Amino acid sequence: SAMRSTSSDWSMPAGIAGLLRSRLAGVDELARQVLGSAAVIDRTFDFETVWRISGRSELEAVDALDVLVSHGLVDPRAQGEPGSPTFDFSHHKIKELVYADMSPARRRVLHRRAAESMRAAGAPPASIAGHYRAGGMEREAAQLYAAAGEEVASLYANREAVQHFESALALGHPDTA
């Protein structure tokens, strides 16, 4: 069967893309859904966050992560302090491939869920805003970029503040002052 071409394939030799795709082909749909949820997080991810983004039951998410670890797609991270177990992609190209293979509609939904989950967890406004923007929720993203700008301006990080304010304005934030 012909391999689907994705936007990330140009930077990846065909042999490596094929190898990673064959590893991905070995996991079930549930594990692929949880892997897709992890791919939108774009960093080391914790169980609670990926579970909430995935929309699956808690035990389904646990089972999926077990499958992903056993197939060498995801690695558990050493736990420093007690809390939600954390994981990382065994290779950043796996994350890129999974993200690129998702439909734009699925990506938008997962980014929105990521924003809501991160907001509930008290994450920094700029990181939440990026997920709202990728999820097509520009008004929410603009408000959070403005909040991030005010936060860093109060710390006299002026260059960073200007970047956040410019992002807020570009997304239509009403307060041009």
Side-chain angles (χ1 to χ4, degrees):
S1 68
M3 280 199 314
R4 238 180 19 209
S5 174
T6 67
S7 58
S8 68
D9 282 348
W10 68 269
S11 63
M12 195 183 308
I16 292 176
L19 180 72
L20 296 178
R21 279 218 167 80
S22 69
R23 258 209 232 166
L24 287 167
V27 302
D28 61 18
E29 186 57 33
L30 170 65
R32 287 183 77 104
Q33 285 177 9
V34 170
L35 196 63
S37 300
V40 301
I41 298 170
D42 198 28
R43 59 177 165 73
T44 298
F45 58 93
D46 67 281
F47 171 75
E48 292 282 327
T49 305
V50 81
W51 161 48
R52 293 187 192 293
I53 294 170
S54 75
R56 306 305 297 217
S57 77
E58 195 172 9
L59 283 175
E60 284 174 325
V62 168
D63 290 344
L65 282 166
D66 287 346
V67 167
L68 295 170
V69 168
S70 73
H71 279 79
L73 296 165
V74 165
D75 294 325
R77 307 289 293 190
Q79 282 300 106
E81 68 278 353
S84 185
T86 56
F87 301 85
D88 213 336
F89 283 85
S90 56
H91 196 285
H92 69 278
K93 291 292 184 191
I94 295 170
K95 183 193 77 64
E96 289 176 19
L97 203 60
V98 169
Y99 190 85
D101 280 351
M102 268 191 282
S103 72
R106 179 175 292 276
R107 262 187 244 145
R108 284 170 69 100
V109 168
L110 294 177
H111 275 294
R112 274 182 251 169
R113 287 183 177 176
E116 295 298 333
S117 177
M118 291 170 73
R119 198 171 203 171
S127 59
I128 302 167
H131 285 292
Y132 273 134
R133 174 186 242 167
M137 297 178 74
E138 294 189 346
R139 190 180 327 110
E140 290 83 351
Q143 290 167 349
L144 283 164
Y145 277 126
E150 288 163 17
E151 192 176 285
V152 294
S154 72
L155 303 172
Y156 300 102
N158 294 330
R159 183 179 295 132
E160 194 179 342
V162 168
Q163 289 172 340
H164 291 316
F165 288 136
E166 285 174 346
S167 293
L169 290 172
L171 291 170
H173 193 281
D175 183 2
T176 53

